[in-house]
Amino acid sequence: MSASSEANPVETLRWDGRRLELIDQRALPARLEYVSCANAAEVAEAIRSMVVRGAPAIGCAAAFGVALEARRQEDCPRAEFDIAMETAFRNLAASRPTAVNLFWALDRMRAALGAGTRDDPRSAAGRLADAALALFNADLETNRAIGRAGAALVPGGARVLTHCNTGSLATAGHGTALGVIRTARDQGKRISVIASETRPYLQGARLTAWEMIREKIPVTLITDNTAGHLMRLGKIDLVLVGADRIAANGDVANKIGTYTLAVLAERHRIPFYVAAPLSSIDTSAADGSAIPIEERSASEVTGYAGMRWAPEGVSVANPAFDITPAELVSGLFTEKGAVTRPDARKIRALFPG
Ligand code: MRU
């Protein structure tokens, strides 16, 4: 039996209508354990504290957070229900700033709530639960479509460098960039992955390496600063990453270090591909300069897991994302297919009407 992604799925989010369970990604790869959330505030905290991360997974979690809050408040009078829902939306929107999927999902949930402004809270709660589940299921289907679009451009035998984690852990399942790799593998292509460790939070070392080993996809872990050396030696055939937000002109915000890889790929004439759903495209941001970049705690850089290696008093910069200009992107894989050399016109064409 092939080691298909369907055979042993990673259930990043589990939903039973009353609780949301999230794999605690802070504990991986040492322990596979779940955090349980019963309301929007708990989901917001789970997003803020990185229990759940990765743009599409954050969006799905936020949608379930809205649905949970609605269930909790469903016996209140409508006016009280509306106030509680407003607080939930505000809290969730403040959890992390860069991944636009969070705001996209909250907009969807707001539309579901607004679809019946006069109905009783119990009906509204039912509608919001349905909307959150639909959004989750759609993300899974979207990732499979992205996988098919991208796999067509991944040759058999490819050695693929990826950054951060874009797999089942970062989505409703299958993944975006890792979804392309999974699909290519499921098509019978022999693919090997080079995972950059992704300082400082180590999503590559802890999460991508874990997912790939679990699925028996050959993976080699490198430090972030090894990429250029391997490219110069001809040991990388393409770079494939995800995105947290893509601007209207095709500029890509993704995990810090992505821009460096794109520049290196250009220097070595290696294709640099981005795999992301349309929900990661923010047409209201004209270019990358309009995308807010999260600045995270200095403690992520001065040490790890309770160990400190930098001297007291040092000043630290810790932007969690960077911007890769569209001109460095060889191709964008979405659920609508592959777009080569994305630019403003081609991005616009993805949103007809
Ligand atoms: O800080 P994180 O771990 O949430 O950052 C995640 C990334 O940068 C991913 O590459 C991106 O969200 C795409 S996930 C399919």
Side-chain angles (χ1 to χ4, degrees):
M1 196 176 72
S2 82
S4 156
S5 47
E6 314 301 330
N8 187 17
V10 174
E11 288 185 292
T12 301
L13 303 100
R14 282 192 204 147
W15 168 248
D16 71 359
R18 294 271 159 194
R19 297 193 82 76
L20 175 67
E21 291 187 324
L22 298 164
I23 290 183
D24 188 346
Q25 300 192 32
R26 302 167 304 182
L28 287 172
R31 299 181 310 281
L32 176 56
E33 52 194 35
Y34 281 81
V35 165
S36 179
C37 301
N39 57 49
E42 287 177 5
V43 175
E45 182 51 31
I47 295 171
R48 196 173 296 116
S49 64
M50 306 284 275
V51 167
V52 60
R53 33 64 51 200
I58 291 172
C60 292
F64 284 128
V66 171
L68 280 175
E69 194 62 32
R71 273 283 172 244
R72 208 165 75 98
Q73 308 289 345
E74 68 186 357
D75 293 326
C76 296
R78 180 74 203 216
E80 256 176 59
F81 175 82
D82 284 341
I83 291 169
M85 293 314 296
E86 226 14 79
T87 306
F89 277 108
R90 237 194 348 266
N91 214 344
L92 287 160
S95 57
R96 288 191 77 189
T98 303
V100 75
N101 309 62
L102 170 66
F103 308 99
W104 173 88
L106 291 175
D107 284 349
R108 288 294 175 103
M109 295 304 285
R110 220 177 244 292
L113 180 60
T117 45
R118 282 183 216 282
D119 58 0
D120 63 286
R122 194 171 284 270
S123 316
R127 204 168 53 249
L128 288 167
D130 291 347
L133 192 56
L135 193 144
F136 173 84
N137 288 331
D139 186 59
L140 195 52
E141 281 317 305
T142 293
N143 293 331
R144 294 206 175 103
I146 293 171
R148 289 190 292 275
L153 279 125
V154 176
R159 296 158 299 177
V160 181
L161 173 62
T162 192
H163 191 53
C164 196
N165 171 265
T166 60
S168 298
L169 289 167
T171 61
H174 196 65
T176 56
L178 286 191
V180 171
I181 288 165
R182 284 192 163 101
T183 301
R185 183 279 315 270
D186 289 347
Q187 291 172 347
K189 291 177 183 166
R190 204 171 34 78
I191 307 292
S192 55
V193 172
I194 297 104
S196 49
E197 63 178 348
T198 317
R199 281 279 297 143
Y201 208 73
L202 304 177
Q203 288 94 332
R206 296 189 303 106
L207 309 178
T208 297
W210 180 78
E211 280 198 45
M212 294 295 92
I213 285 171
R214 197 180 149 102
E215 283 205 40
K216 303 187 171 50
I217 295 177
V219 59
T220 302
L221 179 64
I222 60 169
T223 61
D224 295 335
N225 39 18
T226 299
H229 176 66
L230 292 186
M231 287 187 195
R232 206 177 68 78
L233 294 178
K235 294 191 169 179
I236 290 170
D237 299 306
L238 59 99
V239 180
L240 179 54
V241 298
D244 288 84
R245 194 184 295 222
I246 299 173
N249 72 340
D251 289 355
V252 175
N254 191 49
K255 180 53 55 192
I256 189 77
T258 301
Y259 171 55
T260 314
L261 294 175
V263 172
L264 282 169
E266 163 112 330
R267 170 74 175 82
H268 296 280
R269 297 191 170 76
I270 294 166
F272 177 89
Y273 294 126
V274 176
L278 296 189
S279 56
S280 296
I281 299 179
D282 178 3
T283 51
S284 75
D287 59 35
S289 68
I291 299 176
I293 301 291
E294 178 181 12
E295 181 72 28
R296 293 184 58 83
S297 162
S299 64
E300 290 181 354
V301 180
T302 53
Y304 189 79
M307 190 213 261
R308 187 179 171 109
W309 49 66
E312 295 294 340
V314 69
S315 72
V316 169
N318 186 16
F321 302 96
D322 60 23
I323 304 292
T324 298
E327 70 206 51
L328 296 179
V329 178
S330 318
L332 170 63
F333 306 144
T334 77
E335 63 270 39
K336 288 206 175 167
V339 176
T340 50
R341 293 278 163 207
D343 58 19
R345 185 183 58 78
K346 293 177 185 172
I347 299 272
R348 240 186 344 265
L350 293 171
F351 299 92

